[in-house]
Amino acid sequence: MKTRKTAPAIPRRLRRILCLDDFEIAARHYLPRPIFGYVSGAAESNASLRDNRSAFAEYGFVPRVLVDVSQRNPSVELFGRTYATPFGIAPMGISALAAYRGDLVLARAAADANIPMVMSGSSLIRLEEVAKVGDAAWFQAYLPGEPDRILALLERVERAGFETLVLTVDTAVLANRENNIRSGFSTPLRPCLRLAWDGMIRPRWTLNTFLHTLLKHGMPHFENSYATRGAPILARNVMRDFGARDHLNWRHLELIRQRWKGRLVIKGIMAKEDACIARDSGVDGIIVSNHGGRQLDGTVSPLRVLPTIVNAIAGSIPIMMDGGIRRGSDVLKALGLGAAFVFVGRPFIYAAAVAGQAGVGHAIDILSTEINRNMGLLGISSLADMQEHRLLKLSAEARCRD
Ligand SMILES: Cc1cc2nc3c(=O)[nH]c(=O)nc-3n(C[C@H](O)[C@H](O)[C@H](O)COP(=O)(O)O)c2cc1C
C-alpha cells in the first residue's frame, strides 16, 4: 500500500505567524522588556539598523516569464557542502536567556533543516554541548586580548570538534547601547524591583524559560568567551570580563591562522581593503556585516558595500553577508549582488523564544518557501542564475528610460 507523505502540522500557536516579522510582534509580548530591548535594539540612534532594511528596498526585480521553472533548486554549495537553502543562523549572544536552552534549540533546528547555525561566543551553554548536535554548528569567537588566552580558547573549540571558526572583528571597543540602559538590560543583569516587575508581567517567560533554566541547569554563566567560565547572567556585584581588545590587529589574525587548522571565517568586514587583507591572511570566507547595527551607528548597510567587496575578492573565497534580511526576496537580492550565502539574526531568536525548536523550524520554513516561490516568479531554477541583471537599482539614474 502506498503511503502519502504529508508535511508535519504547524503547531496552533504558530499558525498566525506568516512571515519573519510576525515573530518580532509575538516576542515583544513574550519577553520581558530588558531582554526584548537587548535583542531588538542596536547602537545609539539605530541609524544603521534602519539602513540595513532600507538598502534592500532600493533594489527591485526584473522577472522573466514563460521559462520552465518546475525544477527549482534553492540549495547552495558552501565550503564543499550542499546546504538546503542559502541562509544560516547568525551568532547571537545570550540566546539561552531569551529561549529555554536557546543555543541548542537553534542548533538542532538548523541541523534538521540542513542549514548552518553559528553559535555565539557570548553564550550561556557550554560550547561542548552544542558541538554534539553535529557539524551544522559553527563557533563564533570574540578575540580575547592576550595571545595565551586566544590560544587556550582555540584549543578548547578544536577539542570540542567544531570545524568552522568565525572570528568577529568589529568590536575593538564596546558599542554605545543606550537602548540597553533605557530598557534596563545589562550583563550581568542586576537584581532590583524593576527587573522583578519586568519578569512578573511576563509570567510565561519567567516560568518556561528563566525558572525552568534555573531549576534544571542552575544559574547560567558566560561559558564560552574564554577557555574558562565567565560571570553569571544575574548578579548584584560581579563584573563581566569583556577584556581589552582595542590593541588587536592583523598580526593576531595571522597567529590564529597558524594555529587554527579548521575553516576560518572573518565576520564584521565592511571595507574592501580589509577584505583583501583578510583574504591574503588566509581566511576561508568573509561575512560582510555591521553587526546588525549594534556597533558603530552610522555604518552603512552591508548590502551597499557587498558588490565592491565581491569585485575586489574576485571569487577567490566566498563572500557572505548579514543584516536586515527578513524576506526571501532580501536573500535573492543579496545573492544577486554577489553574496555566496547570507545569515539572519534577530528573527530566529524571536522564533526560539516564542516556540522553541518548532518556532525556529517554522521560521526556516517560511524563509525557504519565500525563496523557492520567488525563484519561480523571477524565472530562475538555480541560485547560480540569480545575477545582478535581474535587479534594478531604484535610483533616478539607473531607472529604465524606454
Ligand atoms: C541579540 C543579538 C546578539 C548578537 N550577538 C552577537 C555575537 O555574540 N557575536 C556576533 O558576532 N554577532 C552578534 N550579533 C550580530 C549578529 O550575528 C548579526 O550580525 C546581526 O544580528 C544580523 O542582523 P539581523 O539581526 O538584522 O539579521 C548579535 C545580534 C543580536 C540581535
Side-chain angles (χ1 to χ4, degrees), residues 35-41 49 52-53 89-95 118-123 140-142 166-171 177 240 267-268 287-294 321-326 343-350:
I35 298 171
F36 180 77
Y38 164 72
V39 177
S40 62
L49 181 70
N52 285 0
R53 287 297 303 133
I89 301 179
M92 283 171 291
I94 322 183
S95 303
V118 190
M119 177 192 194
S120 162
S122 296
S123 42
Q140 174 266 325
Y142 289 116
V166 177
L167 277 184
T168 297
V169 292
D170 53 10
T171 57
R177 305 258 178 96
R240 185 175 163 201
K267 172 174 182 280
I287 303 179
V288 181
S289 171
N290 66 10
H291 216 110
R294 296 163 75 88
M321 67 84 69
D322 73 14
I325 292 174
R326 299 293 178 268
F343 289 90
V344 179
R346 293 174 180 87
F348 286 123
I349 287 241
Y350 298 140

Side-chain angles (χ1 to χ4, degrees), residues 333-348:
K333 287 175 186 177
L335 298 190
L337 294 176
F341 203 82
V342 302
F343 289 90
V344 179
R346 293 174 180 87
F348 286 123

